[in-house]
Every structure is written in C-alpha cells, then in structure tokens.
Amino acid sequence: MANLKQLAQSLGLSITTVSRALDGYADVSAATRERVREAADKVGYRPNASARRLRRQRAELVAVTLPSDPGHIGPPHFLDMLSGCAEHLAAAGLNLVIAPVPRGESELDICRRFVDGRRVDAMLLVRTKRKDERVEFLQSRGIPFVTNGRTESLLPHPYIDGDGFAGFRAATLRFHAAGHRRIGHIAGPQEYYFAHDRCRGWRAAMEECGLATDLCAEGAPLEQGGYLAALELLRQPSRPTALVCATDEMAIGALRALREVDGGNQISIVGHDDLAMGAFTSPPLSTMRMTGENLGASFASLLLRAIAGEPAEELQELHAIEFVDRDSHRRPAKAA
Amino acid sequence: MANLKQLAQSLGLSITTVSRALDGYADVSAATRERVREAADKVGYRPNASARRLRRQRAELVAVTLPSDPGHIGPPHFLDMLSGCAEHLAAAGLNLVIAPVPRGESELDICRRFVDGRRVDAMLLVRTKRKDERVEFLQSRGIPFVTNGRTESLLPHPYIDGDGFAGFRAATLRFHAAGHRRIGHIAGPQEYYFAHDRCRGWRAAMEECGLATDLCAEGAPLEQGGYLAALELLRQPSRPTALVCATDEMAIGALRALREVDGGNQISIVGHDDLAMGAFTSPPLSTMRMTGENLGASFASLLLRAIAGEPAEELQELHAIEFVDRDSHRRPAKAA
DNA sequence: CTTGACTCCCAAAACGTTTTGGAGAATCTT
DNA sequence: AAGATTCTCCAAAACGTTTTGGGAGTCAAG
C-alpha cells in the first residue's frame, strides 16, 4: 500500500535508513531496525517490484518459451515440472513467465523480445531441436539459459536431459534378450534432439544384434501420431513382435492400433515418460523414466547458478533412464 | 542493447522526441519519426521494460496461481489453455507468470505478495473452491481478476465456467432414458466448485427420476482417485450399471477398476474434459466438454476487460456442456 | 506589424527503489 | 586531550522510461 517515502516520513527517518533497515544492513541500529520492521509489517509495506527491478537492473523474471504446435508442448506432467521450477525460483525472488509463440512469429522472435527488452534474467528452453536457433541466439547475447534436452550446438550450454540413447538401447536389448527379433521403433519428429537420441539408441541396439533397422515409423509425439505410426508398422509383411515407443502418449496410441489390428495383447510395447495414465491403460504400460526427483527444482537450481555466472560445462546434467515394468512389455516373442 | 539516451544522442535529438517518435505521436514530424524508427531498428532498440513499468505504474504482468497439491493443478490440457491465454495477453503487452504455492504458504499468501508488491495488473485463479479466500482478498483489494470456475462469493466476480450442473444432470438423464436405474457418481473433492456443481447435477437428475442418491463416492481428481472410488461403488451389494465421473482422469481410473472387478465392458461410463487420451482408452471413453473454442483467448479477453474496468457482471461466461459420444456409455442397462 | 494558430521539438519532473559517499556523534586508543 | 575508530544515520545520485508544460520558429490572418 504505502511506499518507502511515506513509511520513512511516518517514522521520522530517511528513506535510506528505512530501506537499509528492511534489508537488514548492519549500519542501522538494532532498535531502529526493529521499529522499522514493525511499522512496515503494520502497514503491509512491500517494495514496489518495478522500482526495485529498475534500480537493481534485474528483471527478477525467467521466461520459458512454449512451442505452440499442438502436442509439441510436452507431456501432460510438463506443467508440474514448470510449477516445481517456478516454486524454487520464487524462493530466490524470481518469477517464471510462460512465453508461448504466437502464430506468425518464431521462437527466436520471442527470445529476442524478452532478451533485448531486458524482460528476463534468464531463459528456460524446452523441446530443444538438434539445431536450435534459440540456443545460438542466447549464446550470442550471453544471456543465461538452461535447456530441457541437449542440442548439437558446438558451444557447450547448460542442460538437463535424460540419456535417451542408453535408455532406448537398453530397452531394445531387453526385448532381444527376451527372444524378440522383430523390434519396431515408433519415433518422434527427428528434428527434436530427444526423439533423435532415442531413435539412435534403438538403432544402435538393433545393429549390435545384427538386426535390420527398417521397422521404424515416425509420427507426431501424441496419441494420434503413435496410433498412425503403429498402423504403418503393423501393415509390414512381417510384423514386429515388440514396439519401443518414443513417448508414453505415442505408446498409448499404439496400444489402440494393436487392439484394432490383432485384438491386442500379442505385441510387447514400452513407452517413455512414466505418465500416471500408464498405470491405467489396458494392459498397464511398461515405460521408462528419467532418474532423479523434482526435475523442476533441478532446473531452478541450474538457472540460478547460470545467472550467478557458473560456466556452462558445470551446468550439464545427463540423467540415467530407469525402467518401470508394468505389463505391456511381457508379451511372448513368438512369430506373429 | 542501447537505451533511449544513447539513441537520442546519436541522432542529435532529445530523449523526449525519440520516445514520442517511437510511440507514434503526431507532434513529431513524419521525417523525424521515420529517421528515429530506422535508427532504432538498426541498433535493435527495445524500451527497458522495468523502466516503463515503473513510470507507467503498470506491471505488464498477470499471475496465475497454481495449487500445489499433486493432481489438483488441473487436467493435462490445462497448460494448453494457459499457453493460449498467455499468447493473447502478450498481444496486449502483458506476460503471464505462473505462481505455484510453496509448501508452508497458502494461496492467499501468494496473492498477497503479488498484489501488494504491485507485481501484477491482474490475476487468474484456477481450481476455485466454493468458498475461496483468494476471491475475497482480491475483491477487498480491488484488483482485477478472473476465475476459472464459479465460487459461492456473495459479490459477483468475473469467471468462465462450464455448466456442470446441467451437463451432469443431462448425462444422468440419458442413462436413465437408456434404462439404467443404478447410476453411480464418482465425485471430485466437494470443496471445489466444479466438483460440487457436477455432483449436484447428478443428484438432481436422480431425484427427478425418483432414484436413490447413495451410489456416490468421492476421490482425488486423478486416475487413482477414480480407481479407488469406483472400487468402493463396485463393492456395494447392488452395483451400479452406469457411472458418471467428475473428470476423464477419474473415469480412466474407474475403467481399470471395472476391468479388475467384472472383466470390464459391463458397466457404462462417462467422464468430463474430453482428454485426447480418451479416444485411446479401451473402450474409448465417452465424455463431455465445455462448448466454445480457445478457452485461453477467452480468459485473456476477460482479463483485459477487467483491467479496463468493465464491471464484473458483464464478465461472466457460463458455457454449455456438450457430449462426446465414443463408446464407453453404451453398455446395456441389464441387472449386473 | 501584431496576433494567433500551428508545427516541431525539448528540459525537467516524475515513478520508487537501492547504493554511494559521506557527516555527526559517541567511543576507544594512545 | 587529540586522534582514530565505530555507530548511526542521511542527502543525493542513479536506474530508463513517459509525460507535462512549455518554447522557438513559421505562417496566415487581421
């Protein structure tokens, strides 16, 4: 309600002293400090955020750009991650703004607007592409940022990512060890690093086992994309007996394709993300998940450290992938 | 990069003139205006947001508080709505910040921090409760806000809501018309307006038909909550033959309970929200959805109008509920 | 030649904070 | 007792905009 000037006047003190008292500086006496704090509490004084930001030359804001292609925004629990991140940022006085990309503008335009207008202290980038123009731009501007997912940028940058390559390679090898020989992959759009990485993992395993890598179909990272991709694979002359899907949503779409084509329950399937929904599908969906808890907090921590100036090399987290065994990966490997 | 002073200096003009030229005022000649604009473009000038906010006494920010109880944050497509809202707000120069509630703090604390620190021009409230302290607080402060969901507040306030009462009443009557007599309701937490509203709709229909209203179980608005609530109803001596669920997520949980208890496919079921996932469950989930498109844009528009000072009464949207018939509501009404 | 209107521009004052660089008084040192 | 040090406090200068209230010119009308 009140501002510093009014508060100072009512206390018979200078603005300076009141400001420093509230910030806990040692050069104001304990008695005065207490008196000021009480008065501030009483009138419910909160420093005006805009004024502070201007003076401190800090926006106290972090922006996350959201791709606007439907379904490309991220898995359903993505908001939970953002929420966790925002919560931890708030503890450091930063707020998280979401910056979707309006039609007709590129993600780059958004970055530019936020960065050049000094609207943010850092940025969080999600759904990174292998070649991501946002990364290059932010690097050139020297603005702190963290990405969710690696890129193929030559300069190192802070990121958190799951080791999709290792995870999908291991999942494929598991199917092979269980006797499967025709193991298909339902891939996400390959311009995304995560989708490419996971695809590479599957391909590597197949090649190690001396198996052909033609049972691969790409689709949008949504139920419908998985459904269509699965139908494509099921039309092949020799059907796969197991399916490794880039995401749970795609796997759930594939599950429906399986039900339609062979009555379901003949083909093994595994997804990735560990959606809550997966425990409730029929059959319950086996899946993979990135290890580590409270991803949002990790992002917040990395962002804060990036703002503090830590070098990019120390701000890279590659998390192992673990399996979540439910039921859908246990179908026999017999010829279909 | 540059600021107004530097830009003015390089052009041999005053700060005032440059500022007004960029804002398109008529009291600067067309020639100068053009010259200024070109120079601004060339150096990539963007006004410093903090300075403008301080001077204009506007935060250029809208906050949305996110409940932190897991699963209480909203349905999976909730982020899409926020994204749409943010996009339309951005067109008016406003950014959307997400404000989760840290442990140990109440949603009220968050509102207070944002409002009293003048960090926002308006707020967006989601998952409103029947008695919502946030609403009362914002009303007392006179800060513009819009809620997603009505409340029982005595003073009118802007909202967008679906007519859950009518929708659930109609859904229940449909089951009755199809011969069902034991129609259960899987309810969300009754402190939320939407959950209570939907429950009331079901109850009203049952009473109109002269049926008992004891087949009702409450759970968390998630798959697990629906699963547990369904198990509870299925344990009753005379099982329901149809289930009206407060949300799709609960319905999907209930679907699993049905599979476990009676092998599935014996009991009709309908949810609400029209999750993409619903088309891929087994059986495909019949559901309901709020009519109207681009909910996010509607929120943005209401927020802008609230900021512009329109009275609350003119900023209330109650949308009809429409049915999305897939398959899960078509089970026979025979005695189980 | 004055008057008024019009065009184009600008100096200075905000907005509310944080921070710099002391000032005055009290206390300690020598 | 003088000088050094420590405690408290404060005036003023930022931070970068927007906006207020004119001030020169120019031009047409009287």
Side-chain angles (χ1 to χ4, degrees):
Chain A
M1 222 63 220
N3 61 20
L4 217 42
K5 195 199 279 192
Q6 292 162 20
L7 188 57
Q9 228 148 29
S10 81
L11 282 164
L13 289 168
S14 76
I15 291 183
T16 308
T17 303
V18 175
S19 171
R20 312 210 92 199
L22 291 174
D23 273 6
Y25 278 72
D27 71 350
V28 28
S29 73
T32 310
R33 195 160 46 220
E34 213 34 55
R35 196 160 66 93
V36 169
R37 283 205 172 135
E38 268 171 31
D41 267 3
K42 213 179 73 187
V43 301
Y45 169 78
R46 309 267 178 145
N48 179 303
S50 302
R52 186 193 3 219
R53 296 201 254 244
L54 173 59
R55 175 60 231 225
R56 286 221 178 126
Q57 295 289 80
R58 304 247 229 84
E60 295 181 358
L61 248 35
V62 172
V64 50
T65 64
L66 296 182
S68 62
D69 312 314
H72 289 240
I73 212 166
H77 58 260
F78 182 67
L79 181 56
D80 290 311
M81 186 278 279
L82 286 187
S83 175
C85 182
E87 183 181 331
H88 286 262
L89 286 176
L94 296 174
N95 286 122
L96 185 63
V97 338
I98 62 177
V101 180
R103 354 222 131 270
E105 292 196 52
S106 70
E107 305 205 9
L108 195 54
D109 293 331
I110 303 301
C111 289
R112 224 189 283 275
R113 174 178 317 157
F114 275 93
V115 168
D116 290 344
R118 284 197 183 52
R119 302 173 109 78
V120 292
D121 298 320
M123 301 217 47
L124 176 57
L125 264 35
V126 302
R127 283 278 151 131
T128 45
K129 301 190 172 170
R130 290 161 62 192
K131 300 217 168 287
D132 203 301
E133 50 180 14
R134 300 171 295 174
V135 168
E136 287 168 23
F137 170 73
L138 292 174
Q139 283 178 329
S140 77
R141 280 288 194 281
I143 294 286
F145 69 98
V146 178
T147 63
N148 182 6
R150 284 162 288 169
T151 68
E152 293 175 357
S153 162
L154 298 173
L155 291 169
H157 62 80
Y159 65 75
I160 296 183
D161 204 355
D163 193 348
F165 178 87
F168 276 64
R169 176 173 167 277
T172 307
L173 292 178
R174 263 164 63 118
F175 276 143
H176 183 260
H180 289 276
R181 290 302 173 267
R182 293 199 304 286
I183 306 167
H185 177 48
I186 295 192
Q190 292 295 298
E191 71 257 33
Y192 291 115
Y193 195 99
F194 83 92
H196 183 62
D197 197 36
R198 293 172 191 180
C199 183
R200 277 178 48 239
W202 164 79
R203 193 181 307 271
M206 294 298 275
E207 284 168 359
E208 283 172 43
C209 300
L211 299 171
T213 56
D214 55 331
L215 283 173
C216 178
E218 187 176 325
L222 285 174
E223 292 90 349
Q224 183 69 13
Y227 171 70
L228 295 174
L231 285 182
E232 190 180 327
L233 291 184
L234 292 172
R235 267 199 303 270
Q236 303 283 327
S238 75
R239 287 182 184 173
T241 61
L243 244 29
V244 184
C245 304
T247 75
D248 276 358
E249 286 173 288
M250 298 186 84
I252 288 172
L255 238 27
R256 170 167 151 193
L258 264 39
R259 271 196 303 275
E260 289 181 5
V261 168
D262 73 353
N265 275 351
Q266 302 302 309
I267 298 180
S268 287
I269 191 165
V270 63
H272 181 292
D273 279 348
D274 193 22
L275 294 196
M277 195 72 67
F280 296 86
T281 56
S282 166
L285 183 66
S286 295
T287 184
M288 307 176 231
R289 61 185 300 279
M290 208 173 88
T291 54
E293 38 205 285
N294 208 342
L295 186 57
S298 304
F299 274 112
S301 160
L302 248 44
L303 281 164
L304 292 172
R305 288 166 61 194
I307 291 173
E310 278 194 48
E313 289 84 352
E314 291 171 23
L315 301 174
Q316 303 182 325
E317 291 186 9
L318 188 60
H319 293 266
I321 302 295
E322 67 185 8
F323 293 94
V324 180
D325 286 354
R326 293 214 177 88
D327 192 56
S328 65
H329 72 290
R330 295 222 184 79
R331 303 294 164 271
K334 67 174 195 296
Chain B
M1 220 63 216
N3 61 19
L4 217 42
K5 194 200 279 193
Q6 291 161 18
L7 188 58
Q9 226 147 30
S10 81
L11 283 163
L13 288 169
S14 76
I15 292 182
T16 310
T17 303
V18 175
S19 171
R20 312 211 91 195
L22 292 174
D23 274 5
Y25 278 72
D27 70 351
V28 28
S29 73
T32 311
R33 194 159 48 220
E34 213 33 56
R35 195 160 68 94
V36 169
R37 284 206 172 133
E38 269 170 31
D41 266 4
K42 213 178 74 188
V43 302
Y45 168 78
R46 308 267 178 146
N48 179 303
S50 302
R52 189 198 356 223
R53 295 201 254 244
L54 173 59
R55 174 62 230 227
R56 286 222 179 125
Q57 296 289 82
R58 304 246 228 86
E60 296 181 357
L61 248 35
V62 172
V64 50
T65 65
L66 297 183
S68 61
D69 313 313
H72 288 240
I73 211 167
H77 58 259
F78 182 66
L79 182 56
D80 289 312
M81 186 279 277
L82 286 187
S83 174
C85 182
E87 182 181 331
H88 286 262
L89 286 176
L94 296 175
N95 286 122
L96 185 63
V97 340
I98 61 177
V101 180
R103 355 221 131 271
E105 292 196 52
S106 70
E107 306 205 10
L108 194 54
D109 293 331
I110 303 301
C111 287
R112 224 189 283 275
R113 174 178 315 158
F114 274 93
V115 168
D116 290 345
R118 284 197 183 53
R119 301 174 110 79
V120 293
D121 299 320
M123 300 216 48
L124 177 57
L125 263 37
V126 303
R127 284 277 151 133
T128 46
K129 300 188 172 170
R130 289 160 62 190
K131 300 218 168 286
D132 203 301
E133 50 181 13
R134 301 169 297 173
V135 168
E136 286 167 23
F137 170 74
L138 292 173
Q139 284 178 328
S140 78
R141 279 289 193 281
I143 294 287
F145 68 97
V146 178
T147 62
N148 182 7
R150 284 161 288 170
T151 68
E152 292 174 358
S153 162
L154 298 173
L155 290 169
H157 61 79
Y159 65 77
I160 296 182
D161 205 354
D163 192 348
F165 178 87
F168 276 64
R169 177 174 167 275
T172 308
L173 292 178
R174 264 163 66 117
F175 277 142
H176 183 259
H180 290 275
R181 290 301 174 266
R182 295 198 305 285
I183 306 166
H185 177 47
I186 295 191
Q190 293 295 298
E191 72 257 34
Y192 291 115
Y193 194 100
F194 83 93
H196 182 62
D197 197 37
R198 293 172 192 181
C199 182
R200 277 178 47 239
W202 165 78
R203 193 180 308 271
M206 294 298 276
E207 284 167 0
E208 284 172 42
C209 299
L211 299 172
T213 57
D214 55 332
L215 283 172
C216 179
E218 188 177 324
L222 286 175
E223 293 90 349
Q224 183 70 12
Y227 171 71
L228 295 174
L231 286 182
E232 189 181 327
L233 290 184
L234 293 172
R235 268 198 303 269
Q236 302 285 327
S238 77
R239 287 182 183 173
T241 61
L243 244 30
V244 184
C245 304
T247 75
D248 276 357
E249 286 173 287
M250 299 187 84
I252 288 172
L255 239 27
R256 170 167 152 193
L258 264 39
R259 270 196 303 275
E260 288 181 5
V261 169
D262 72 353
N265 275 348
Q266 301 303 307
I267 297 181
S268 287
I269 192 166
V270 63
H272 182 292
D273 280 349
D274 192 23
L275 294 195
M277 197 70 70
F280 295 87
T281 55
S282 166
L285 182 65
S286 296
T287 184
M288 306 176 232
R289 62 185 301 278
M290 205 172 89
T291 54
E293 38 204 286
N294 208 341
L295 186 57
S298 304
F299 274 112
S301 160
L302 248 43
L303 282 164
L304 292 171
R305 289 165 60 194
I307 292 174
E310 277 193 48
E313 289 84 350
E314 291 171 21
L315 301 174
Q316 302 183 325
E317 292 187 9
L318 188 61
H319 293 264
I321 302 295
E322 68 184 8
F323 293 93
V324 181
D325 286 355
R326 295 214 177 86
D327 192 55
S328 66
H329 73 290
R330 295 224 183 77
R331 304 293 163 272
K334 65 174 193 295

